[in-house]
Amino acid sequence: MDVVKTKKKSNPLLNSKYQIALAIFTSLVFLALWANQSVGSISVERNDILVEKVHKGDLEVSIEGYGSLKSDKQQLITTLTRATVKEIILKPGASVKADSVIVRLENPELQQLVDNAQQELAQTTANLRQLKLNNQRETLNESATLAQITASFETATLKRIAEEQLVKKGIVTKLTFQQTVLNEKQLEKRIEILKQRMAQLTLVHAEAVNIQQERIKQQQGQLNIAQARLDRLTVTAGFDGVLQRLSVELGQSLAAGQEIALIGSVTDLIALIRVPQSQAQQIEIGQRVIIDTRRDKIEGKVARIDPIVENNTVNIEVSLPQNLPASARPQLNVDGVVIAETLKQVTYIKRPANAKSSTQVSLYRLDENGKDAQLHKVKLGRQAGRFIEVTSGAKPNDEFIISDLSNLKTSSDTLTINY
């Protein structure tokens, strides 16, 4: 007799719990494995990173900056008096000689002043000629009087000599002889006084002439000033160079002392370079500077350090040699590198991203196979332009990743490089 077996039905709720628990367990295991792999290592593409080798040797501590070339010799031209711009001859950028005319101004009042000064000078000169004639006439009159008295004196002398013999013979009385002697002495005294008078008159005449000549000189000076002001209406450069700035327009009315133009030399140039404030303390007067004009490189020296800090930069004035290349022109933007000092036989590397001098950074050092990199602490020293000194943590020929890896959100000490 066959026995009929009844199949037991499974509990659907129990099976569902088992499946959910198994799924959760599997997910946890997967997440643990993925997390372990993420913490242990991360991959980067070789083309996305910069790798630099550590070197050893002499390293120039340089400070980079930027700026422009300026004329060492400049001349600001201003108006001497009120005027109106009549004509503009040259424009900014034009090469000029000392006698090159830049603009012409006009002022009718100046011409009238010159004419008046010329008339006054002519009148004063005529007065001097009249004075000399009057002095000459007075001198002649006094000379005639002196000649007349001298003749009378000589006659009196002859008479005294004659009577002196006659009085002894009793022909001429003693009274008459005494009168003759007295007359001679009086004439001699008058001659002496007249000579003193003529000498004094000569001094008076000379002083009068000097005074009149001083008046002429003063009038000539006034004429020269007026003429100079009139001549300054034709504005010239004053020395060889380039017209750097023209500050007037045609028909513009100018006040006295207002700027017209700025002239700068083209051969005597200096460089004004702005360097970071943090590195300015390394710069000293006389240090070598390389100026890059994008076409040529010029070697100069630090001539002056501006004491004022502006926008976290310091202005450095660099003196340049007399013989400059054709690419060096005023207002040209240039780059400058100040050679502060030379470090002898130091270990150095190209400066990593965001690295600063005298700090410790963590860099990935490549293994010998070049496929893996381990995080390594490196102490940095002095910065030298694009390079920085390595004081510890690296040796020559070590290779480090110097790229900015802040975008990699990982704390992994190992890095895998994909080629």
Side-chain angles (χ1 to χ4, degrees):
M1 179 176 175
D2 296 332
V3 177
V4 179
K5 294 181 179 181
T6 304
K7 187 177 180 180
K8 295 182 179 180
K9 295 183 179 180
S10 61
N11 190 339
L13 182 59
L14 185 61
N15 291 337
S16 176
K17 289 181 179 180
Y18 287 154
Q19 292 176 357
I20 292 174
L22 181 61
I24 293 174
F25 177 76
T26 303
S27 299
L28 292 175
V29 172
F30 176 76
L31 289 174
L33 292 174
W34 179 82
N36 184 55
Q37 182 179 6
S38 298
V39 172
S41 175
I42 191 170
S43 299
V44 293
E45 297 296 328
R46 178 61 182 85
N47 295 333
D48 295 338
I49 58 175
L50 293 176
V51 177
E52 290 295 335
K53 184 180 294 186
V54 177
H55 301 277
K56 185 171 184 178
D58 294 344
L59 180 63
E60 290 184 338
V61 178
S62 58
I63 302 169
E64 298 181 354
Y66 63 93
S68 60
L69 299 182
K70 303 289 184 181
S71 297
D72 189 24
K73 181 181 179 183
Q74 290 184 318
Q75 178 171 294
L76 184 65
I77 303 177
T78 60
T79 56
L80 194 61
T81 184
R82 294 185 299 107
T84 303
V85 180
K86 180 181 179 181
E87 183 180 7
I88 295 178
I89 308 299
L90 299 177
K91 294 183 178 180
S95 298
V96 295
K97 298 293 184 181
D99 56 351
S100 297
V101 178
I102 301 173
V103 296
R104 286 192 174 92
L105 310 176
E106 65 176 355
N107 185 344
E109 295 179 358
L110 284 183
Q111 185 61 56
Q112 185 63 41
L113 287 176
V114 171
D115 294 341
N116 294 341
Q118 288 176 340
Q119 293 176 4
E120 289 291 337
L121 179 60
Q123 181 64 43
T124 307
T125 304
N127 292 341
L128 176 61
R129 293 197 302 269
Q130 182 65 43
L131 177 62
K132 289 181 177 181
L133 291 175
N134 293 338
N135 293 344
Q136 186 177 6
R137 183 173 60 250
E138 289 184 12
T139 302
L140 290 175
N141 292 337
E142 292 297 326
S143 298
T145 302
L146 178 60
Q148 183 180 1
I149 295 176
T150 301
S152 299
F153 171 73
E154 292 175 353
T155 302
T157 301
L158 293 175
K159 184 178 180 181
R160 177 187 60 78
I161 294 174
E163 289 182 352
E164 188 175 7
Q165 298 297 326
L166 295 175
V167 74
K168 294 178 180 180
K169 297 178 180 181
I171 300 175
V172 176
T173 64
K174 291 183 178 181
L175 178 61
T176 303
F177 177 73
Q178 291 296 330
Q179 289 177 347
T180 301
V181 172
L182 180 61
N183 183 46
E184 181 187 14
K185 290 181 178 180
Q186 289 177 346
L187 290 174
E188 184 180 9
K189 189 66 175 179
R190 289 183 62 186
I191 290 174
E192 182 181 353
I193 294 174
L194 190 57
K195 286 182 178 180
Q196 292 177 358
R197 180 180 174 183
M198 288 187 65
Q200 189 66 29
L201 186 62
T202 301
L203 295 177
V204 172
H205 288 171
E207 187 62 24
V209 170
N210 290 336
I211 293 174
Q212 190 64 24
Q213 287 177 340
E214 286 295 327
R215 292 175 180 171
I216 292 176
K217 186 181 295 185
Q218 292 177 0
Q219 194 60 45
Q220 183 66 54
Q222 294 180 4
L223 175 60
N224 292 341
I225 294 174
Q227 187 65 51
R229 296 171 66 184
L230 183 63
D231 294 341
R232 285 285 296 273
L233 294 180
T234 301
V235 181
T236 57
F239 68 92
D240 298 351
V242 64
L243 178 57
Q244 294 184 353
R245 184 170 68 235
L246 184 65
S247 305
V248 298
E249 297 179 353
L250 190 64
Q252 180 179 351
S253 296
L254 306 178
Q258 188 169 342
E259 178 183 336
I260 297 177
L262 177 65
I263 307 297
S265 59
V266 293
T267 54
D268 299 331
L269 299 181
I270 59 173
L272 296 180
I273 304 299
R274 304 200 71 86
V275 299
Q277 175 190 358
S278 58
Q279 298 176 281
Q281 65 270 16
Q282 303 180 47
I283 300 177
E284 296 179 357
I285 302 297
Q287 290 178 340
R288 191 162 58 97
V289 185
I290 306 299
I291 301 298
D292 187 358
T293 66
R294 275 75 168 183
R295 288 182 55 188
D296 301 284
K297 290 187 178 180
I298 309 170
E299 184 170 325
K301 291 185 177 180
V302 177
R304 184 179 62 86
I305 303 173
D306 200 323
I308 300 176
V309 178
E310 183 178 354
N311 297 328
N312 295 323
T313 61
V314 175
N315 212 20
I316 305 298
E317 181 179 315
V318 180
S319 61
L320 301 178
Q322 291 291 330
N323 298 326
L324 296 174
S327 60
R329 293 181 59 84
Q331 311 301 326
L332 177 68
N333 292 329
V334 295
D335 295 327
V337 179
V338 181
I339 310 301
E341 62 177 315
T342 301
L343 304 179
K344 300 293 185 179
Q345 293 300 310
V346 296
T347 303
Y348 63 92
I349 189 175
K350 186 173 288 188
R351 187 167 62 90
N354 303 321
K356 297 182 179 180
S357 59
S358 302
T359 59
Q360 179 175 286
V361 296
S362 296
L363 301 175
Y364 283 98
R365 183 175 63 185
L366 272 67
D367 295 339
E368 294 182 358
N369 57 17
K371 294 183 179 180
D372 296 319
Q374 302 293 327
L375 197 61
H376 199 69
K377 291 184 178 180
V378 177
K379 287 186 178 180
L380 304 178
R382 289 164 289 185
Q383 181 178 335
R386 295 180 301 165
F387 299 93
I388 194 166
E389 179 186 14
V390 178
T391 58
S392 65
K395 61 181 183 299
N397 296 323
D398 284 350
E399 291 184 318
F400 287 88
I401 298 175
I402 64 171
S403 302
D404 184 8
L405 301 179
S406 59
N407 59 333
L408 299 178
K409 298 179 180 180
T410 179
S411 59
S412 174
D413 294 338
T414 304
L415 197 64
T416 302
I417 302 174
N418 298 324
Y419 287 85

